[in-house]
Amino acid sequence: MSLKNSFTLMAQYNQWMNESVYSAASQLSSAALDEDVGAFFGSILGTLNHILVADIIWLQRFAQHPDKFSELDIVMAMSLPKKLDETLFEDIGLLREQRVKVDEAILAFANALSSEVLTTDLSFLDTAGVPHTKNFGQLILHLFNHQTHHRGQITTLLSQRGLDVGATDLLELIPESKNI
């Protein structure tokens, strides 16, 4: 499987898992979602906001690639978060609506990637304003890894509250091989 196809699979997985996580989290009260439970971003809502914040930051950087991915125009129209722990939405419903839009953009972006573009570099400024130039494909890999990392934290927090997110393994989306 090519790296491009792997990223399309990861975008599908991201969308599927976010729907599962948000469905479970939406069963909690606002107070339970906002309760500081000692997670790195405090609460379930804080962590969900952080994932979206990081996605917006990275996708806006990706949109600056010389190939200009129009699939990310919707994300470019969003306000650039100023800090990684910024609360974009205090309401889970509004956060979920924005999450759905970003997930659709990520999937469209992944589908638009080419093997060639994944070998190029992307220059960007980090949140402290420090310049970097890194491999574009590896930066996209970081985007998906970051999401998975924090969703794992959220699924644990939801499980501790008696909520089952269901299957969480990427294996669920990997199709059966046709080479049998």
Side-chain angles (χ1 to χ4, degrees), residues 26-97:
S26 293
Q27 297 175 48
L28 295 173
S29 68
S30 295
L33 285 168
D34 208 26
E35 178 187 357
D36 188 335
V37 292
F40 193 77
F41 290 95
S43 64
I44 292 171
L45 190 65
T47 306
L48 289 171
N49 268 286
H50 168 71
I51 297 170
L52 187 59
V53 162
D55 284 356
I56 291 169
I57 290 170
W58 278 110
L59 293 170
Q60 286 193 5
R61 289 173 183 160
F62 295 167
Q64 300 302 314
H65 189 278
D67 281 32
K68 302 285 183 204
F69 293 95
S70 62
E71 297 80 6
L72 299 177
D73 286 351
I74 191 166
V75 180
M76 287 302 293
M78 297 174 183
S79 296
L80 180 65
K82 293 172 183 42
K83 55 187 185 163
L84 293 174
D85 63 350
E86 186 170 328
T87 299
L88 300 174
F89 297 96
E90 293 181 10
D91 177 82
I92 187 78
L94 295 174
L95 185 63
R96 187 179 196 173
E97 286 176 23

Side-chain angles (χ1 to χ4, degrees), residues 42 47 50 56 61 77 87 96 102-103 122 132 137 149 157-158:
T47 306
H50 168 71
I56 291 169
R61 289 173 183 160
T87 299
R96 187 179 196 173
V102 170
D103 287 347
L122 178 70
H132 297 275
H149 166 71
L157 296 172
L158 291 170

